[in-house]
Amino acid sequence: MVVMTDISLEGISKRYGAVLALDKLSIAFAQNRITAIVGRSGCGKSSLLKMCNGLSRPDAGSVALFDQAIDYAKLPAMRERIGYALQGTGLFPHLTIRDNITLLANIKKWSADAIDQRLDQLLTLMQLQV
């Protein structure tokens, strides 16, 4: 059985000065699955996630999204295809929950119907109600 992946990291290493945050890590995240990254403070969780969305580049190894190596020259377009929730921040307090969730779709001038449909999909996926 072949498992399709949305994100895969092969042989990732990342160092911050003398601190080795990730050491030859290989991991793949399967499509249509929710994955939790759990560990103590300082174990490399944030470093791993930053590699997945291009906020940080590995010192060694490679990162692929949707079976394509990350093109660091085209990060904004790549990031539009993934979801990323920041730890502790990231929401605009002056916006409603709906407006926070649909912010990018509104900026990209999606139709109202497309926005409503995508909002319903995301709320259902996360088992949320607005």
Side-chain angles (χ1 to χ4, degrees):
M1 176 179 177
V2 174
V3 177
M4 300 299 291
T5 61
D6 284 338
I7 303 171
S8 61
L9 301 97
E10 292 294 326
I12 295 297
S13 293
K14 183 65 179 178
R15 183 177 291 281
Y16 299 98
V19 176
L20 182 60
L22 299 169
D23 186 20
K24 300 175 191 158
L25 173 71
S26 293
I27 187 168
F29 299 99
Q31 288 181 349
N32 302 315
R33 300 277 187 232
I34 296 172
T35 304
I37 308 297
V38 180
R40 61 177 164 58
S41 180
C43 73
K45 300 179 303 289
S46 294
S47 295
L48 172 66
L49 292 175
K50 287 178 183 180
M51 300 284 173
C52 292
N53 73 2
L55 283 175
S56 181
R57 293 184 187 199
D59 297 330
S62 63
V63 181
L65 297 173
F66 312 110
D67 296 323
Q68 301 251 321
I70 289 181
D71 183 346
Y72 292 96
K74 297 179 181 176
L75 287 175
M78 182 230 27
R79 288 183 183 134
E80 288 178 7
R81 298 184 62 201
I82 63 174
Y84 185 74
L86 299 174
Q87 182 178 326
T89 61
L91 296 177
F92 294 105
H94 63 288
L95 297 180
T96 65
I97 294 169
R98 181 190 198 286
D99 291 342
N100 268 284
I101 294 170
T102 62
L103 182 63
L104 183 59
N106 282 302
I107 290 170
K108 298 295 243 171
K109 302 199 183 304
W110 287 19
S111 71
D113 287 343
I115 290 172
D116 288 342
Q117 183 180 8
R118 184 61 175 153
L119 177 64
D120 287 344
Q121 288 174 335
L122 293 172
L123 292 175
T124 299
L125 176 67
M126 300 308 297
Q127 301 177 358
L128 297 172
Q129 294 179 344
V130 178

